[in-house]
Each structure stands twice: as structure tokens, then as C-alpha cells.
Amino acid sequence: MSKKKLGLNTICIHVGEVKDEQFKGAVSPMYLSSSYEFLDVDVKRYPRYFNTPNQEFLAKKIAALENTESALIFGSGMAAISTMFLAFLQQGDHLVVQNTLYGGTVNFIKEEFPKYGIEYTFTNGYSVEDFEKAIKPNTKLIHIETPSNPLMTITDIKAIARLGKSKGILTSIDNTFASPVNQKPIDLGIDMVMHSATKYFGGHSDILAGAVASSEELIERIFNVGKNLGGNLSDMTVWMLERSLKTLGLRVKAQTKNAMKMAKWLNKHPKVSKVYYPGLKSHPEYKLAKSQMSGFGAMLSFELTEDLDAYKFQKALRLIKSSMSLAGVESTVISPHLTSHALLTQEERDAIGISDQLIRFSVGIEDVKDLKRDITNAIKMIE
Ligand SMILES: *Cc1c(COP(=O)(O)O)cnc(C)c1O
């Protein structure tokens, strides 16, 4: 059966299962060996070579979800992104990277690239022209993130893919926020897709993992660097990730539906001055988001009115937890100005639109009426 013809949920459940030949159990057995037969075998298996049975098979599920030939699973999103970058960038090369980006990726570039003699340019904005202006003769990779953290800006994936192809530059995307349930960048022409699998792939706030999906040829190049850097995921967590991925479609669709309802409700709330959600018609890139996403995702941000204290608001919530991470089945909120963007100056934050009133909201699968009530009660308590 061709994997491409299978539906999303069928892929989530059935692609990349390790068959239990011995006992015919319903789920993949967990292979914890870190030592495998070496003599006269076709494949020399070792966890750091990304080729234990659980790693090899789960990679097939992720490749099927992203419509790629191949994939690799890593110990974290940062292991995935750092290995991918170092596979295609060496001394004297140049990376063009979007200005609104996950903080850890920004830190990796700023703190590590100078040590390797790799050059980089952060774009001034996220339009195709901004990317084009940043390209230099030694540019080897363009990296984007859409929707991006925390204001849910939308980058034109097709246009960036076209730009890369026209200049012979590889393109990569951080698809963590949308997940393959809502966005398939490979179908839009991007070369490589990476994920913090800690987020929607894991979905239960109990796994740290990452993944990259691409063609066999590009994955081979990432593998060659990855085996040296040693960022593979342990097989026990690989097994947990397989279990989580079975419900990826169900979870993310339910979360996306809830996010749309919450965004519309917050948009009309007298104590909310602004909502950032690509599914709202008021979002500046609503049409673009609609053209490249099958759903608008479950991440949104909103600004409380000036009279409310964002810190007190988070403390007053009972159901919705304040949390650094995101994308679990439980709803969480965070103040970007106190966390991801705390190291910037007030002026720097103002320049990129991160106000003290901003709350990033990762919408879970709870009943919407309870989420609304929690927010209403919290606002009443601090008014
Ligand atoms: C969390 C996150 C990462 C980093 O992933 P880790 O699993 O924490 O290493 C990268 N990109 C985005 C968009 C993220 O949200």
C-alpha cells in the first residue's frame, strides 16, 4: 500500500510500527539494546547511528506525516536544528534566517556560529523581499519559522521555496507550531522540515525530542554529521513518542478547533486589546495563512488592556497553567516579556511588538466553556 494514499490518522497509527513477530502484540516492542551483532550483518546497529529498530521505524512515521522520503529523530528540537545547520554550513558559509524565531535557535546562531566561522543575517522582516535582500554570494541555507513565536506572523512558504530554488540555496522550516496536521511545507517546495517533537508530536508535556524530515540525499548528509554530534533520542523515549504520535491528528485538530473558538471570544473581550491568531480575518496575513495551512494551529497571543497586570493575570488562572513550554493537551500561557524575550531591552521588545501586556496562549483540548470561565474569573480577580 502506498503511504501517500493513507489518511493522516491511519499514518499516525500504522506507519512505522515495529512488528512483534514473536508474540504478535498489538504495539511496537521496545528494543533497548545498545549493543547489536556486528559480524556478518547487513546493518551495523547502534543507537548513536539512529538505526535501532524503534528509531528506524518511527522515522518512517514522521517521514510519512511530512511527505518526505526519510527522517531522523533527535534528543531535542535543538539537537535537530543544530545538526541540520551544521550539516549544510561550514566555515565561510552564510545563513539567512528569519528575524522572528524561536529563542533557542537565535541563541545557537549568535553564540555558536562565530566559533565555526559561519556567517549569518537575520532578516529585517518576514516578507520575501526581506529574505532576498539578506542573501549573499556565500548563502547556503535559508531558514524560516511560520507561524512564528510569539506574534504568529506568517511567512510565504511557497515564495521562500521558489527564492531558494532560483538561487540554488537550500531552504528549511521550523514546522513546530503548525505541525504536519495543519501545514505540509515539503508539498510547498521547502527542502527540509524540522520539529521540536517536545511540542505537538509529544503532546503530553513529558517528552523532549526533535526531528528532521527531507529527501534521502539530504537526510544522509544530516546523518553523517548527526552520528558525530551524538544527538540521538533514547529508545525508551522513541517508544513513548510513537505512542504520542498515534493521537497527533486527533489532538491537534481538537486543539486547533478550540484555538479558533478562543481567538474569536478573546477578540470580542472588553479586557483584551488585541489578538494575534492567523485564523482571524483581522490578522494581516490571514489570506496567506489560509492558502498554505489546512488549519490555523492552536497557538495564539493576546494583549490584556493596560489596566490589567499580566503577571497577576497568570497567577489568578486556576485551570490554565503558566508554563515555559507549549503544545500539550493542557492549555498553558506565558508572558514573552518575562521569559523568551526577557533578555532584550524594553526598546528592543517595543521594536518587535512584544508588549508587557502580551500573553502567549497554547490552547489544549479542555472544554472551551471551562477555558473561557477560567479567563473570565482571573480577570475579575485582578480588575
Ligand atoms: C521548543 C521549540 C524549539 C526547541 O525545541 P527543544 O525540544 O526545546 O530543544 C524549536 N523551535 C520551536 C518553534 C520551539 O517551540
Side-chain angles (χ1 to χ4, degrees):
M1 212 183 331
S2 157
K3 276 172 203 163
K4 285 210 173 125
K5 297 220 175 80
L6 296 175
L8 174 76
N9 288 315
T10 312
I11 293 173
C12 286
I13 308 285
H14 289 297
V15 175
E17 287 174 285
V18 185
K19 293 272 178 260
D20 180 358
E21 301 290 357
Q22 200 172 4
F23 300 107
K24 314 286 181 199
V27 304
S28 298
M30 194 193 297
Y31 288 93
L32 293 179
S33 286
S34 60
S35 177
Y36 286 84
E37 175 123 7
F38 187 78
L39 298 175
D40 306 323
V41 292
D42 295 338
V43 185
K44 305 214 185 312
R45 294 188 195 275
Y46 186 58
R48 186 162 48 74
Y49 297 165
F50 300 87
N51 65 0
T52 55
N54 292 96
Q55 288 185 85
E56 200 176 286
F57 279 76
L58 186 59
K60 293 183 206 288
K61 195 192 290 291
I62 291 173
L65 284 168
E66 288 289 7
N67 266 346
T68 59
E69 292 169 355
S70 191
L72 284 176
I73 301 153
F74 289 88
S76 69
M78 285 315 301
I81 204 157
S82 56
T83 306
M84 180 178 78
F85 281 174
L86 294 177
F88 298 100
L89 298 164
Q90 58 184 32
Q91 190 174 21
D93 288 345
H94 178 252
L95 167 74
V96 170
V97 67
Q98 188 167 325
N99 62 342
T100 49
L101 205 63
Y102 176 71
T105 311
V106 174
N107 293 344
F108 174 66
I109 293 167
K110 288 189 175 165
E111 291 171 20
E112 306 304 327
F113 275 25
K115 299 178 194 167
Y116 292 92
I118 302 169
E119 297 166 24
Y120 59 87
T121 304
F122 283 92
T123 57
N124 278 325
Y126 48 92
S127 74
V128 189
E129 293 73 37
D130 291 315
F131 283 87
E132 194 157 9
K133 267 186 225 147
I135 290 175
K136 292 184 179 180
N138 56 340
T139 304
K140 293 283 155 52
L141 181 64
I142 300 171
H143 180 72
I144 63 171
E145 187 176 313
T146 178
S148 81
N149 189 22
L151 297 178
M152 311 306 140
T153 63
I154 303 294
T155 309
D156 189 336
I157 300 175
K158 249 190 205 164
I160 296 295
R162 231 181 284 129
L163 175 66
K165 290 218 162 62
S166 73
K167 309 253 181 200
I169 300 168
L170 286 172
T171 51
S172 61
I173 184 171
D174 187 329
N175 202 29
T176 302
F177 269 32
S179 95
V181 178
N182 287 320
Q183 182 167 281
K184 305 249 196 207
I186 295 290
D187 297 353
L188 302 170
I190 291 286
D191 295 310
M192 296 177 281
V193 184
M194 64 75 47
H195 281 274
S196 167
T198 311
K199 312 295 164 50
Y200 289 107
F201 281 14
H204 298 73
S205 307
D206 54 8
I207 286 176
L208 189 79
V212 183
S214 185
S215 64
E216 252 159 36
E217 187 197 336
L218 296 180
I219 288 294
E220 178 74 20
R221 288 179 64 183
I222 299 170
F223 163 76
N224 285 330
V225 173
K227 72 181 192 317
N228 294 334
L229 293 178
N232 67 283
L233 187 63
S234 88
D235 282 290
M236 211 174 298
T237 317
V238 171
W239 189 92
M240 283 178 69
L241 186 55
E242 186 198 341
R243 179 180 161 140
S244 291
L245 278 170
K246 289 183 185 183
T247 56
L248 178 78
L250 291 181
R251 282 186 281 110
V252 174
K253 282 199 173 143
Q255 286 173 278
T256 298
K257 214 167 147 190
N258 278 1
M260 181 62 105
K261 287 183 189 162
M262 291 308 293
K264 283 184 176 161
W265 180 76
L266 287 165
N267 208 26
K268 288 193 187 131
H269 200 290
K271 288 293 171 184
V272 172
S273 55
K274 197 157 183 179
V275 178
Y276 302 86
Y277 183 63
L280 291 180
K281 293 213 170 82
S282 54
H283 187 287
E285 289 101 33
Y286 167 75
K287 281 203 178 121
L288 176 59
K290 203 169 162 73
S291 74
Q292 65 185 22
M293 302 179 83
S294 52
F296 298 103
M299 296 298 302
L300 61 96
S301 293
F302 59 94
E303 276 163 19
L304 293 166
T305 50
E306 290 292 333
D307 54 314
L308 298 182
D309 184 292
Y311 174 82
K312 285 188 189 151
F313 169 72
Q314 289 170 75
K315 293 296 255 186
L317 291 166
R318 287 291 165 264
L319 209 57
I320 304 170
K321 292 190 180 75
S322 150
S323 149
M324 268 282 277
S325 202
L326 56 105
V329 287
E330 65 283 330
S331 293
T332 60
V333 289
I334 200 72
S335 266
H337 92 278
L338 296 176
T339 54
S340 55
H341 296 73
L343 296 178
L344 302 184
T345 63
Q346 187 74 48
E347 291 75 45
E348 284 173 322
R349 278 197 295 270
D350 289 346
I352 53 170
I354 313 278
S355 82
D356 290 2
Q357 301 305 103
L358 187 71
I359 302 284
R360 189 191 69 192
F361 188 6
S362 168
V363 182
I365 61 171
E366 299 93 337
D367 296 286
V368 163
K369 70 174 172 36
D370 296 324
L371 296 176
K372 288 179 183 169
R373 193 186 306 134
D374 199 28
I375 291 174
T376 302
N377 288 345
I379 288 174
K380 268 193 202 134
M381 272 175 73
I382 62 165
E383 251 180 321

